[in-house]
Amino acid sequence: MRSRGRDDAGDDRPVVVVSDLHLGRRGMVETAAELSPLVESASALVVNGDLAELLMNRWADAARRELDQLRDRCAAAGTRLVVLAGNHDPTLTDRRHLLLADERVLLTHGDAVHEALAPWSDAADVIRDRHREVMASLPESRRDSIEGIFEACREAALAECEAEGDLGPATTPLGALAKPWKVARILSFWWSQPRLLDRLAERHFPTARIVISGHSHRAGVKRVGRRTIINTGCFGVPGPALAAVFDREGLVVRRVERRGRGRGRGWSLDDVAIHREPGIMVDRRELPDDREPLRASA
């Protein structure tokens, strides 16, 4: 795969935002090779949290290996890779949000709206208690700051690993059905997350009229008050995976489909637009150009 050799000004490919790849994990994106069609279609690929399954011992080695492969593929394609931290890779980068398009578009993973991060987790109490502990330890001036909230999220995400050795088993449909309380908490979070993201934006990013998140694995586009809340879902169950695509006309939301078989299969953008926001422009030149390597271990 050769580099396209384009500079930022001459690259007319769109900026593509996705989330929750869980790279290296069975049933999600197992290999970076599967992402080649998506990488090659984008001038910049922004992964809005949970890029790699770094905190689950079963998949951590594969996640680190495939993360390296993804960086190499992006470099070869001339595609800028921009990563935000999620609750499954909280130490991968310090970046937890981006404010783009003249501060009209907020990107953040979506775990910061609940002190248990993932209230359906078996370790929700451990996570919540650590979040509260960190928030209480902060100076009063930081307790209600977005920086303080993100710090508490990072430490809360690590609390389960400190207690149990890793994040524990992944939540599956069958596993959820075996615990009715878990289903109830998942459905409650699906219902409340758009409203909670609107509240987060109103308090800390009031100029944002579009919020793009992931985390819940529940894809969709909802209008909450004056804001559009976009959840890009996940690359696995329950799906689908969506992408927020910023092209020359504005923002368009498209499905990301897995096509082909065997070694030839890969994830690529569908042609059908699910949602449009004309005139909301993001150029890859306004995105960070990271020179430091991502931290693949805590």
Side-chain angles (χ1 to χ4, degrees):
M1 187 165 48
R2 290 184 173 181
S3 172
R4 293 175 179 268
R6 304 178 183 180
D7 59 21
D8 283 357
D11 195 337
D12 58 357
R13 295 174 296 168
V15 171
V16 176
V17 180
V18 294
S19 69
D20 297 271
L21 283 71
H22 295 275
L23 191 62
R25 173 172 155 187
R26 182 172 298 175
M28 297 291 188
V29 181
E30 294 186 43
T31 69
E34 298 174 41
L35 297 170
S36 289
L38 191 61
V39 166
E40 293 173 4
S41 70
S43 66
L45 180 65
V46 183
V47 184
N48 192 9
D50 288 1
L51 163 57
E53 204 62 271
L54 296 171
L55 297 186
M56 286 188 173
N57 293 335
R58 181 179 179 184
W59 294 300
D61 288 344
R64 286 189 285 268
R65 180 183 66 247
E66 297 304 327
L67 179 59
D68 286 340
Q69 289 292 317
L70 177 60
R71 285 185 293 216
D72 290 345
R73 287 178 181 276
C74 286
T79 299
R80 183 176 298 180
L81 177 63
V82 180
V83 177
L84 280 66
N87 59 306
H88 279 239
D89 47 16
T91 61
L92 187 58
T93 172
D94 293 330
R95 184 180 300 111
R96 288 191 165 264
H97 81 283
L98 288 172
L99 202 55
L100 305 171
D102 296 323
E103 300 188 347
R104 292 177 292 171
V105 176
L106 169 66
L107 274 62
T108 191
H109 182 56
D111 55 340
V113 300
H114 198 290
E115 61 185 0
L117 306 187
W120 57 89
S121 168
D122 291 332
D125 290 346
V126 172
I127 298 167
R128 182 201 61 227
D129 290 349
R130 180 58 176 156
H131 190 283
R132 291 177 178 177
E133 179 185 351
V134 173
M135 290 296 287
S137 72
L138 294 174
E140 188 172 348
S141 61
R142 283 176 54 83
R143 287 179 192 168
D144 195 39
S145 70
I146 193 62
E147 293 80 13
I149 292 170
F150 285 150
E151 181 180 341
C153 285
R154 176 186 181 278
E155 294 304 313
L158 293 172
E160 183 178 359
C161 294
E162 294 169 359
E164 304 294 338
D166 74 353
L167 285 186
T171 299
T172 64
L174 287 177
L177 290 173
K179 299 178 179 180
W181 64 266
K182 190 181 285 274
V183 174
R185 291 186 185 182
I186 290 171
L187 293 176
S188 176
F189 192 82
W190 283 358
W191 177 82
S192 64
Q193 191 194 28
R195 175 174 49 84
L196 294 173
L197 284 165
D198 174 66
R199 186 181 301 172
L200 181 79
E202 187 65 29
R203 189 167 189 85
H204 298 285
F205 307 99
T207 60
R209 54 167 286 198
I210 297 169
V211 180
I212 303 174
S213 76
H215 181 53
S216 70
H217 291 197
R218 178 65 170 174
V221 180
K222 293 187 180 297
R223 188 75 178 178
V224 180
R226 64 188 183 94
R227 289 188 178 86
T228 301
I229 312 296
I230 300 168
N231 191 307
T232 50
C234 73
F235 286 65
V237 176
L242 301 182
V245 181
F246 294 91
D247 60 20
R248 287 174 292 181
E249 297 181 0
L251 167 63
V252 57
V253 179
R254 303 185 186 278
R255 288 187 67 149
V256 187
E257 301 281 1
R258 179 182 271 173
R259 295 170 178 158
R261 294 182 178 181
R263 294 184 179 180
R265 72 178 183 178
W267 293 91
S268 57
L269 294 173
D270 191 79
D271 293 334
V272 178
I274 293 174
H275 178 79
R276 291 184 182 275
E277 295 274 353
I280 303 296
M281 316 296 287
V282 171
D283 187 282
R284 100 171 193 166
R285 287 172 292 183
E286 69 178 285
L287 295 170
D289 189 4
D290 293 334
R291 301 299 183 185
E292 296 299 321
L294 298 171
R295 298 187 293 271
S297 60

